[in-house]
Amino acid sequence: MKAAVWYEKEDIRIEEIPEPEISPGHVKVKIKACGICGSDLHEYYSGPFIIPSKPHPLTGRSGGPLILGHEFSGEVVEVANDVRRFAVGDRITVNPLIYCGQCHFCRRGEHIMCSKLGTVGFAWDGAFAQYGLFPEYSLIKLPDAVTDDMGAAVEPLAAAIHAVNRSGMKIGDNVAIIGAGPIGLFVQQACKAAGAGHVYVVEPMKARAETAAKTGASAVFDPTAVDAGKEIGKLTDGLRADIAFDCVGIQQSFDTAVKVTGRRATICVVGLALKPIEVPFIRLWGHEKRIIFSSGYQDEFQAAVAYMEDGRVNVDHLITGHIDLDDLVDGGIKELREHPDRHVKILVHP
Ligand SMILES: [Zn+2]
Ligand SMILES: [Zn+2]
């Protein structure tokens, strides 16, 4: 089969390799669509990053060669003898978490906190390939109304729903989304689906701001042109937002999250900050704000599928490109890095 194999940073090769062989507890999947994630860009430009650098305790994998790709849909083509819940022909997506099932957090269903946590596409071969092999427990069935392209977006939408759950958002809360990339745009829609009052978006790039408006933002502000905190204040009787989601993870986006929120507000940090961020302590202290973090998902995949199935969340507006596996680096990874203003999500069709 054809696969895009990561060897080390700036070295992904399109190769012909053997198809994965079925093993107990596993399902073989023909990949239909796989989204390129910001973390795939991190692995390409500066990895290994999430890819383990010593053998993973559950999969034994470390470094390259490894197949990236963790946001995908596919069709079951073979199941192990002990697999009960899936059959050949089922359309599926995958919750990429690989966990021990035995530790304190796994026993409570909080797999994202597993001390041995690994992820498909980082500690196990992912979906930038024609076929993949995944544990039965990781698969989620897709209904007919959720297309293969939509199925490839279930994972980022699950991460967005998890962020809303982590934030403690209540019906009627006014929220602000900082950064309208793939996660920000999904957090925006998940907040609306979950009953937010107004959903304000702060985004400097024009195309992304337009997508935010198209997918239901109450108002969109360009932070390079206006003071988003003051603007949101004008629309909320000076109260500003009850919750801000920092979906970028840099100093400026965190500063904006502080500015757009009011007293006793919550800042939910979803974007991955690679560098330390300075915190304006006195302002957070004086306003008794809370800062919490959201780093993945638990069981939000079924909710994500339901939100797509009945149209509460729009995926089409977020998909800005379709490419072949051969074009992963130039037409996908580099394109996203060099033209973030033109793209939200690019799908690879192996
Ligand atoms: Zn991702
Ligand atoms: Zn565990």
Side-chain angles (χ1 to χ4, degrees):
M1 67 169 183
K2 200 189 268 187
V5 185
W6 181 98
Y7 280 84
E8 58 183 345
K9 70 172 178 176
E10 297 189 347
D11 184 5
I12 288 179
R13 304 175 204 167
I14 308 301
E15 294 183 333
E16 202 56 48
I17 62 167
E19 289 180 20
E21 273 174 41
I22 201 79
S23 65
H26 286 75
V27 174
K28 185 173 163 183
V29 173
K30 184 180 171 123
I31 309 299
K32 297 289 185 156
C34 183
I36 303 172
C37 176
S39 48
D40 298 323
L41 267 64
H42 285 318
E43 297 296 356
Y44 181 77
Y45 286 105
S46 51
F49 179 62
I50 304 174
I51 295 171
S53 40
K54 55 177 199 259
H56 187 272
L58 297 175
T59 69
R61 300 291 297 270
S62 68
L66 175 96
I67 300 167
L68 295 169
H70 59 275
E71 306 178 357
F72 59 98
S73 61
E75 185 184 316
V76 173
V77 292
E78 192 178 353
V79 298
N81 290 333
D82 58 346
V83 166
R84 293 284 168 269
R85 293 190 303 120
F86 294 92
V88 171
D90 284 346
R91 298 177 56 251
I92 58 94
T93 187
V94 159
N95 176 337
L97 300 184
I98 298 168
Y99 49 86
C100 79
Q102 286 155 13
C103 71
H104 171 77
F105 289 105
C106 279
R107 281 187 278 115
R108 303 198 320 183
E110 299 173 10
H111 306 124
I112 185 80
M113 289 294 118
C114 176
S115 53
K116 292 180 180 166
L117 189 71
T119 310
V120 168
F122 301 102
W124 182 262
D125 282 333
F128 291 137
Q130 290 176 316
Y131 295 92
L133 188 72
F134 310 106
E136 180 186 14
Y137 69 73
S138 70
L139 269 60
I140 293 112
K141 271 189 194 139
L142 294 177
D144 292 344
V146 175
T147 63
D148 293 335
D149 289 0
M150 289 154 85
V154 170
E155 189 262 5
L157 178 57
I161 296 170
H162 184 65
V164 178
N165 283 335
R166 291 281 300 151
S167 76
M169 192 203 86
K170 297 187 296 302
I171 292 175
D173 280 350
N174 289 323
V175 306
I177 316 293
I178 319 303
I183 293 292
L185 288 164
F186 275 141
V187 170
Q188 170 202 322
Q189 296 193 68
C191 284
K192 277 208 108 163
H198 288 108
V199 180
Y200 305 112
V201 174
V202 183
E203 168 60 54
M205 280 184 247
K206 206 164 158 256
R208 290 182 171 202
E210 281 167 12
T211 305
K214 254 191 274 179
T215 50
S218 310
V220 187
F221 302 104
D222 175 355
T224 62
V226 298
D227 181 327
K230 282 192 184 141
E231 295 301 318
I232 291 172
K234 280 187 217 161
L235 297 168
T236 53
D237 269 340
L239 294 173
R240 305 198 179 191
D242 301 299
I243 301 174
F245 294 89
D246 177 0
C247 298
V248 184
I250 58 173
Q251 186 71 52
Q252 285 147 300
S253 59
F254 184 81
D255 291 344
T256 303
V258 174
K259 259 197 271 175
V260 298
T261 46
R263 293 163 191 267
R264 293 253 170 103
T266 298
I267 295 165
C268 181
V269 181
V270 192
L272 174 56
L274 296 174
K275 288 185 192 149
I277 284 180
E278 260 182 57
V279 170
F281 191 89
I282 196 91
R283 189 157 176 185
L284 292 165
W285 180 86
H287 286 181
E288 291 193 345
K289 294 192 201 210
R290 297 194 306 154
I291 304 173
I292 61 153
F293 297 86
S294 182
S295 71
Y297 27 72
Q298 282 172 197
D299 291 329
E300 292 87 354
F301 283 67
Q302 296 292 358
V305 169
Y307 280 7
M308 288 181 184
E309 193 177 7
D310 67 7
R312 266 176 289 178
V313 166
N314 175 289
V315 179
D316 291 350
H317 287 311
L318 277 65
I319 299 172
T320 51
H322 296 270
I323 58 171
D324 292 337
L325 194 55
D326 296 312
D327 211 17
L328 172 66
V329 173
D330 289 336
I333 291 170
K334 290 185 179 170
E335 177 71 15
L336 283 168
R337 167 90 149 210
E338 284 154 27
H339 303 290
D341 50 325
R342 285 183 208 159
H343 291 289
V344 179
K345 191 57 86 182
I346 294 178
L347 296 186
V348 180
H349 298 278

